[in-house]
C-alpha cells in the first residue's frame, strides 16, 4: 500500500513531464486528423462525389435553370385553309413597385408612377386614376396586377406596351387558344381547357374536333437548360442544352367560312327575336357528305366561354342529342315502300282516321283531307296515309328500310360522343306511329346521311366534318367520300324527289311557304311532339319540334339543308315562318353558288380581301376598292382581326368590321343592321343587347368610349 502511494507522489512531482506527454499526444492526434482531412479532400477532388452525390452535377443543379419550350397546339382550318382555331398566348401585365429591386444601380421598379399610368391607360381599359390606385396599394408589396383588365392581353398589345420601355412593367404568359371567328360552329370546332394533370400538354380538347383529334393537335414540349446566377441571369459562357418542342398537327375541316358565318348570323337573328328552346341548321354537300356549315342555338363563344355558364349544355345537338323527328321520316318510309313494291300511288284512302289495335290515329289537322290518293300523302304530310303505307310494307320491310337507311346506328362522323338512337318494332301501334316519325329516336347526322341516298340516286354517303389530318410527325390521313350503303334504287330516289317537289310546289303542299321563285327545290316539313321524360308527350302546340329537310337543285341535288326549331314558346310567329327567315336567304345563297342555278346575280357578291396585319389606311383602301364598307373598332393603326373573314363572299356595300391593335373602343353603330352589330359582338367578345327591329338608331355606350365588361344596348328602329 505504501509502495503505491509513493508512485503517485513521484508522478505529482513531475508535472512538466506529464504536460509534455499530453502535448505529444495532441500533436499526433491533430496530425492524424489533418492527414485524414487531406486524404478526404484529395479523394473528393479526384473522384468528385460525396455520399454518392456527384458534386459537379449537384452544383449544376443548384444553378441550372430548366426552361420549358412550349409546343404549339396545331390549328383547325376550314376547307380553304383559313384558321378557325389556332395556337396563341395571352398575357397578364404586372408592375414591380418595391424600390429595393435594383441591379448595378439600375432601377427595376416603377419609378415614375404618373407617367406609367398615363401610358398604360392607352392600352388597358382603365383610367389613369384607376391605374394609379393599383400602383399605390395600401399595404406594402413587391408587385401589383391590374385586375381583369390586365389579363388576357394579346401579343400585339404586349409588344406595344414593351415598346414604351416602362421600368418595372413585366408580363407573364400562358398558353391559350385563339378562335378568331368567335361564335362559329362552336360545338363542332370545339373547345380546349387547361390540363391540370399533364404539364407537357397545357391545353386539352374537351369538345368537338378539339377533343376528337386532341392527340394529333397536341404537341410535345421541349426544354432548354442553362446555368444562371442568384438573380436568374445566364452565366457567361454557360453551356446551353436544348431539346426542341414538337408542334401539333393540323386538322382541315369541311366547313366553309363564308357559309358558316352567314348561317351563324341567321341563327343569331332568330335567337334574338324568338323565344325558342333551341334552333339548329346544317348545310351538307349532297354528293360528298361534307358538312359545309353547322350551327345551333343556344351556343357559346369559345374565346370568352360566354354561353357555357353553369347549367348550360355542353352537348352538340347535331350528334349527341336524340329526338323524335316527326314527318321528315315520311321521306324514308315512302322510299322504303316504293323500293319494296308496296306503294300504291293511285289508290285512294280515307284520311279522316285509322284504327290500330285499340288506338285511333288522326291526321295532324284532326279532320283529314277526305278521300285522297296515296301520291298526296307526302305533300300533304298525312299521318293517316303513312300509317297505311307502313302497314302495307309489313314489319319485315319496315325493319329493312330503317336498317338500310342507317337508323339506330352511328354514322361514324369524326365528332365525339355520337349517339346511336333506336326504335322498337315489337308493337303494332309503335310501328304505325313510326310511319310519321314518332316513337323512333334519331340524330341529325342520321337524317342527313339517309337524305344523301335520296339526293344521290340511291347511294348513301357518310357525313364528314374533316377532309385531312396531319399529325405532329407529318403523317397525313385523308378522309375521302365514303359510301355506306345503297338502300334504294335510282328510280325510287327520283320518285321520292318528285313527291318532295310537290310538297313545295302543289297548292296543298305543307311546304309552300318555302317556295323560292325560279328555284327547283325538293323539301319535306316536319312537326313532332316532344317526349315527356316522365312518360307520354309534353302537352300543347308550343311543345313541338318543327323541322325542314330541303334539297336543291331537285333535278340533281348539290346541297342538303336541315333546320330544326324546338318549343317555339312565344308563338307570335308560326314556326314555318320563323324557319323561313333562315331557309330562304340561306338557300338563295347556296343556289347562287351552284353554276347554272343562280338565284342571286353573281355580280352582287365580292370576295372579302385580307386586312389582318395591314395598316388601317391600307385595309380601308382595299375594302373600298371592293365596294365594301369598313367600320373600325379601337384606337390602333393596324388590323388584328376582321369579320367577315378574308376569302369569304359578301354582298357589295356589306360592312366589314375591323378590330385594331389599340384600346378597344365602341364605334358609332348608327344605321347598322343587326347582323353587323352581331359581327361587332363576335369580334370584340363583349356583351350586346339588341332591342327593336330595323336599323340601329341608338346605343347605350357613347362612340369612342372603352368597351368594358358591361352590356351595351343597341336600339333598332324601322325606317320608312
Amino acid at each position: 500500500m505504501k509502495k503505491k502511494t509513493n508512485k503517485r507522489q513521484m508522478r505529482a512531482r513531475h508535472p512538466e513531464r506529464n504536460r509534455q506527454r499530453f502535448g505529444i499526444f495532441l500533436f499526433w492526434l491533430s496530425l492524424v486528423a489533418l492527414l485524414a482531412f487531406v486524404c478526404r479532400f484529395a479523394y473528393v477532388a479526384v473522384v468528385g462525389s460525396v455520399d454518392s452525390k456527384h458534386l459537379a452535377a449537384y452544383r449544376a443543379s443548384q444553378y441550372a435553370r430548366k426552361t420549358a419550350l412550349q409546343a404549339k397546339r396545331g390549328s383547325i382550318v376550314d376547307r380553304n385553309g383559313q384558321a378557325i382555331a389556332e395556337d396563341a398566348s395571352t398575357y397578364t401585365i404586372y408592375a414591380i413597385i418595391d424600390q429595393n429591386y435594383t441591379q448595378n444601380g439600375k432601377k427595376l421598379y416603377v419609378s415614375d408612377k404618373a407617367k406609367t399610368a398615363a401610358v398604360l391607360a392607352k392600352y388597358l381599359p382603365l383610367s389613369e386614376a384607376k391605374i394609379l390606385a393599383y400602383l399605390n396599394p395600401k399595404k406594402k408589396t413587391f408587385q401589383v396586377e391590374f385586375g381583369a383588365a390586365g389579363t388576357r392581353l394579346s401579343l400585339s398589345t404586349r409588344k406595344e406596351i414593351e415598346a414604351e420601355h416602362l421600368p418595372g412593367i413585366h408580363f407573364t404568359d400562358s398558353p391559350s387558344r385563339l378562335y378568331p371567328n368567335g361564335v362559329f360552329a362552336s360545338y363542332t370546332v370545339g373547345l380546349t381547357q387547361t390540363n391540370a394533370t399533364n404539364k407537357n400538354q397545357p391545353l386539352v380538347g374537351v369538345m368537338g374536333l378539339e377533343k376528337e383529334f386532341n392527340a394529333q393537335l397536341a404537341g410535345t414540349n421541349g426544354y432548354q437548360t442553362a446555368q444562371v446566377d442568384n438573380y436568374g441571369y445566364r452565366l457567361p459562357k454557360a453551356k446551353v442544352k436544348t431539346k426542341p418542342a414538337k408542334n401539333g398537327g393540323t386538322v382541315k375541316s369541311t366547313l366553309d367560312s363564308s357559309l358558316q358565318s352567314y348561317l351563324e348570323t341567321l341563327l343569331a337573328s332568330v335567337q334574338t327575336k324568338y323565344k325558342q328552346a333551341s334552333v339548329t341548321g346544317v348545310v351538307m354537300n349532297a354528293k360528298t357528305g361534307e358538312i359545309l356549315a353547322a350551327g345551333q342555338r343556344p351556343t357559346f363563344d369559345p374565346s370568352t366561354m360566354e354561353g357555357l355558364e353553369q347549367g348550360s349544355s355542353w352537348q352538340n345537338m347535331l350528334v349527341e342529342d336524340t329526338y323524335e323527328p316527326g314527318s321528315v321520316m315520311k321521306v324514308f318510309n315512302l322510299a322504303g315502300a316504293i323500293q319494296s313494291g308496296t306503294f300504291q300511288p293511285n289508290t285512294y284512302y280515307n284520311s279522316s282516321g285509322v284504327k290500330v289495335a285499340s288506338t285511333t290515329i288522326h291526321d295532324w289537322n284532326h279532320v283529314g283531307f277526305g278521300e285522297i290518293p296515296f301520291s298526296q300523302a307526302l305533300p300533304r304530310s298525312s299521318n293517316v296515309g303513312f300509317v297505311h303505307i307502313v302497314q302495307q310494307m309489313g314489319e319485315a320491310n319496315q325493319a329493312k328500310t330503317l336498317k338500310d337507311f342507317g337508323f339506330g346506328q352511328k354514322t361514324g362522323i369524326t365528332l365525339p360522343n355520337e349517339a346511336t338512337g333506336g326504335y322498337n318494332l315489337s308493337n303494332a301501334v309503335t310501328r304505325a306511329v313510326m310511319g310519321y316519325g314518332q316513337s323512333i329516336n334519331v340524330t341529325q347526322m342520321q337524317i342527313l346521311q339517309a337524305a344523301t341516298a335520296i339526293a344521290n340516286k340511291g347511294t348513301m354517303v357518310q357525313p364528314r366534318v374533316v377532309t385531312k389530318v396531319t399529325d405532329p410527325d407529318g403523317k397525313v390521313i385523308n378522309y375521302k367520300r365514303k359510301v355506306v350503303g345503297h338502300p334504294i334504287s335510282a328510280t325510287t330516289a327520283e320518285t321520292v324527289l318528285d313527291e318532295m317537289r310537290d310538297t313545295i310546289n302543289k297548292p296543298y303542299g305543307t311546304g309552300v311557304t318555302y317556295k323560292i321563285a325560279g328555284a327547283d327545290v325538293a323539301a319535306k316539313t316536319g312537326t313532332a311532339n316532344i317526349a315527356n321524360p316522365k312518360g307520354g308527350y309534353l302537352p300543347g302546340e308550343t311543345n313541338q319540334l318543327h323541322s325542314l329537310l330541303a334539297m336543291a337543285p331537285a333535278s340533281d341535288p348539290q346541297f342538303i339543308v336541315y333546320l330544326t326549331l324546338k318549343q317555339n314558346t312565344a308563338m307570335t310567329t308560326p314556326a314555318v315562318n320563323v324557319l323561313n327567315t333562315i331557309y330562304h336567304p340561306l338557300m338563295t345563297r347556296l343556289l347562287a353558288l351552284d353554276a347554272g342555278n343562280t338565284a342571286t346575280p353573281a355580280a352582287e357578291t365580292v370576295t372579302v380581301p385580307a386586312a389582318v396585319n395591314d395598316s388601317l389606311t391600307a385595309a380601308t383602301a382595299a375594302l373600298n376598292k371592293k365596294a365594301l364598307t369598313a367600320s373600325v373598332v379601337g384606337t390602333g393603326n393596324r388590323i388584328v382581326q376582321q369579320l367577315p373573314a378574308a376569302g369569304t363572299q359578301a354582298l357589295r356595300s356589306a360592312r366589314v368590321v375591323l378590330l385594331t391593335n389599340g384600346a378597344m373602343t365602341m364605334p358609332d353603330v348608327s344605321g347598322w343592321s343587326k347582323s353587323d352589330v352581331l359581327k361587332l359582338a363576335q369580334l370584340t367578345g363583349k356583351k350586346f343587347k339588341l332591342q327593336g327591329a330595323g336599323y340601329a338608331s341608338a346605343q347605350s355606350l357613347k362612340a369612342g368610349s372603352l368597351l368594358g365588361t358591361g352590356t351595351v344596348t343597341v336600339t333598332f328602329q324601322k325606317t320608312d
Side-chain angles (χ1 to χ4, degrees):
M1 186 73 179
K2 185 177 181 181
K3 190 175 183 179
K4 290 182 178 179
T5 301
N6 291 335
K7 287 183 178 180
R8 284 196 296 268
Q9 291 174 347
M10 289 289 290
R11 266 190 234 102
R13 285 197 295 266
H14 299 282
E16 292 184 8
R17 186 169 53 187
N18 292 338
R19 284 195 295 269
Q20 185 179 25
R21 288 176 179 175
F22 184 71
I24 293 171
F25 172 76
L26 286 178
F27 171 77
W28 286 108
L29 181 63
S30 301
L31 188 62
V32 171
L34 179 61
L35 184 62
F37 176 78
V38 171
C39 292
R40 178 62 173 167
F41 185 81
Y43 172 81
V44 170
V46 173
V47 177
S49 65
V50 176
D51 296 333
S52 302
K53 289 185 177 180
H54 195 277
L55 292 179
Y58 180 73
R59 179 185 178 280
S61 68
Q62 294 298 301
Y63 293 94
R65 174 168 294 177
K66 189 174 184 178
T67 305
L69 299 178
Q70 190 67 52
K72 290 184 178 181
R73 186 174 176 86
S75 297
I76 301 175
V77 301
D78 75 350
R79 63 188 302 106
N80 298 313
Q82 181 175 321
I84 52 182
E86 57 187 337
D87 182 77
S89 289
T90 58
Y91 303 90
T92 298
I93 187 172
Y94 68 95
I96 297 175
I97 57 175
D98 188 338
Q99 295 184 7
N100 295 318
Y101 191 57
T102 61
Q103 184 181 32
N104 299 326
K106 183 179 180 181
K107 296 178 181 179
L108 301 179
Y109 58 88
V110 176
S111 55
D112 189 338
K113 294 182 179 180
K115 176 186 175 182
T116 301
V119 173
L120 292 182
K122 295 190 299 182
Y123 303 99
L124 304 180
L126 293 171
S127 65
E128 290 185 42
K130 186 65 175 177
I131 295 174
L132 274 173
Y134 278 114
L135 293 174
N136 292 289
K138 294 180 180 180
K139 293 183 179 181
K140 186 176 181 180
T141 184
F142 181 76
Q143 67 185 52
V144 295
E145 295 184 0
F146 299 91
T151 63
R152 300 183 64 84
L153 303 180
S154 67
L155 178 60
S156 61
T157 301
R158 172 181 173 167
K159 288 182 175 180
E160 287 175 342
I161 295 175
E162 287 178 331
E164 300 282 357
H165 302 293
L166 299 172
I169 297 299
H170 302 275
F171 298 85
T172 59
D173 67 308
S174 58
S176 183
R177 198 72 167 149
L178 177 63
Y179 299 92
N181 299 317
V183 177
F184 183 94
S186 299
Y187 283 90
T188 299
V189 175
L191 180 69
T192 60
Q193 287 188 338
T194 302
N195 187 358
T197 60
N198 185 352
K199 292 183 179 180
N200 286 327
Q201 191 183 116
L203 296 176
V204 61
V206 294
M207 185 189 295
L209 295 175
E210 293 276 27
K211 179 178 181 180
E212 184 74 10
F213 294 98
N214 186 67
Q216 291 83 358
L217 289 167
T220 303
N221 286 355
Y223 63 84
Q224 186 177 81
T225 304
Q227 287 187 317
V228 297
D229 61 18
N230 290 333
Y231 295 98
Y233 293 101
R234 186 182 297 176
L235 294 174
K237 299 181 180 180
K239 292 183 178 179
V240 178
K241 182 179 180 181
T242 302
K243 180 182 178 181
K246 181 182 289 187
N247 294 332
T250 303
V251 174
K252 186 175 184 180
S253 73
T254 61
L255 297 174
D256 182 295
S257 287
S258 174
L259 288 176
Q260 183 65 46
S261 295
Y262 192 54
L263 176 62
E264 295 289 358
T265 300
L266 296 172
L267 293 176
S269 177
V270 168
Q271 182 187 34
T272 302
K273 188 173 182 179
Y274 303 100
K275 305 296 182 182
Q276 77 288 333
S278 68
V279 59
T280 70
V282 183
V283 179
M284 172 190 266
N285 182 313
K287 301 304 181 186
T288 66
E290 294 175 323
I291 304 298
L292 303 177
Q296 68 184 62
R297 293 294 185 281
T299 188
F300 67 97
D301 186 332
S303 297
T304 63
M305 296 291 286
E306 184 178 357
L308 280 181
E309 295 84 3
Q310 188 174 5
S312 300
S313 175
W314 283 58
Q315 285 189 240
N316 185 339
M317 297 179 194
L318 308 180
V319 296
E320 297 181 63
D321 281 5
T322 61
Y323 62 100
E324 297 181 36
S327 295
V328 166
M329 280 298 297
K330 292 172 182 174
V331 170
F332 312 111
N333 287 320
L334 175 63
I338 297 171
Q339 190 66 26
S340 65
T342 61
F343 182 58
Q344 304 170 36
N346 300 318
T347 299
Y348 280 71
Y349 69 96
N350 187 336
S351 62
S352 61
V354 58
K355 190 170 184 179
V356 181
S358 60
T359 301
T360 300
I361 297 172
H362 297 282
D363 246 312
W364 56 269
N365 64 357
H366 308 295
V367 296
F369 313 97
E371 294 281 337
I372 59 173
F374 281 110
S375 61
Q376 293 184 17
L378 187 79
R380 291 183 183 271
S381 200
S382 171
N383 293 344
V384 172
F386 272 87
V387 170
H388 287 301
I389 287 172
V390 295
Q391 286 178 333
Q392 292 163 3
M393 286 172 64
E395 182 180 343
N397 282 327
Q398 188 177 6
K400 184 177 187 303
T401 296
L402 294 173
K403 180 181 178 182
D404 288 352
F405 273 111
F407 295 107
Q409 310 160 50
K410 293 182 180 181
T411 66
I413 191 170
T414 52
L415 286 171
N417 308 323
E418 183 182 12
T420 304
Y423 52 87
N424 189 332
L425 295 171
S426 62
N427 181 279
V429 176
T430 300
R431 291 198 301 273
V433 298
M434 275 188 205
Y436 52 90
Q438 300 281 179
S439 293
I440 178 173
N441 286 308
V442 305
T443 67
Q444 295 204 27
M445 285 302 123
Q446 288 172 346
I447 291 289
L448 287 161
Q449 177 175 272
T452 63
I454 308 298
N456 290 323
K457 300 181 179 180
T459 299
M460 189 166 69
V461 297
Q462 183 185 55
R464 288 187 294 145
V465 288
V466 171
T467 60
K468 184 173 71 172
V469 174
T470 306
D471 70 15
D473 295 319
K475 181 181 178 181
V476 176
I477 301 175
N478 291 302
Y479 291 81
K480 299 180 179 180
R481 177 178 186 264
K482 183 178 181 181
V483 175
V484 291
H486 297 84
I488 56 175
S489 66
T491 302
T492 296
E494 185 177 350
T495 303
V496 173
L497 281 170
D498 285 340
E499 293 265 350
M500 292 175 71
R501 274 192 179 104
D502 289 348
T503 299
I504 283 184
N505 296 324
K506 294 294 184 181
Y508 52 75
T510 58
V512 291
T513 302
Y514 302 112
K515 186 173 182 177
I516 299 175
D520 182 20
V521 180
K524 181 69 192 82
T525 58
T527 303
N529 294 320
I530 298 174
N532 188 335
K534 298 180 180 180
Y537 292 94
L538 296 173
E541 292 184 357
T542 59
N543 288 316
Q544 292 180 325
L545 177 84
H546 301 273
S547 59
L548 173 67
L549 177 66
M551 306 178 191
S555 58
D556 184 22
Q558 304 296 312
F559 302 105
I560 299 173
V561 173
Y562 187 46
L563 307 174
T564 72
L565 176 71
K566 185 178 180 180
Q567 292 173 300
N568 183 29
T569 53
M571 289 298 288
T572 55
T573 303
V576 291
N577 292 342
V578 176
L579 286 176
N580 198 38
T581 63
I582 303 172
Y583 164 78
H584 192 280
L586 181 61
M587 183 59 81
T588 299
R589 176 165 289 198
L590 291 172
L591 291 171
L593 297 175
D594 185 52
N597 294 278
T598 305
T600 300
E604 292 185 10
T605 63
V606 296
T607 302
V608 178
V612 175
N613 294 324
D614 286 349
S615 68
L616 178 58
T617 303
T620 304
L623 292 172
N624 291 340
K625 188 175 181 181
K626 290 280 189 176
L628 296 168
T629 303
S631 294
V632 181
V633 180
T635 60
N637 57 10
R638 185 174 57 81
I639 309 304
V640 294
Q641 287 188 51
Q642 70 178 86
L643 271 181
T648 60
Q649 295 296 309
L651 297 175
R652 286 185 180 274
S653 77
R655 189 179 308 278
V656 179
V657 184
L658 304 174
L659 181 64
T660 68
N661 55 353
M664 197 179 291
T665 53
M666 178 70 185
D668 182 356
V669 298
S670 300
W672 288 29
S673 67
K674 280 190 175 180
S675 62
D676 289 336
V677 176
L678 289 169
K679 292 176 192 173
L680 175 63
Q682 290 184 33
L683 203 61
T684 61
K686 304 299 181 181
K687 296 179 181 179
F688 283 80
K689 182 179 180 181
L690 311 185
Q691 295 181 336
Y695 294 90
S697 58
Q699 58 193 73
S700 63
L701 185 64
K702 185 179 178 181
S705 301
L706 285 173
L707 280 165
T709 57
T711 299
V712 180
T713 300
V714 179
T715 304
F716 294 82
Q717 188 174 2
K718 291 183 178 180
T719 57
D720 295 331

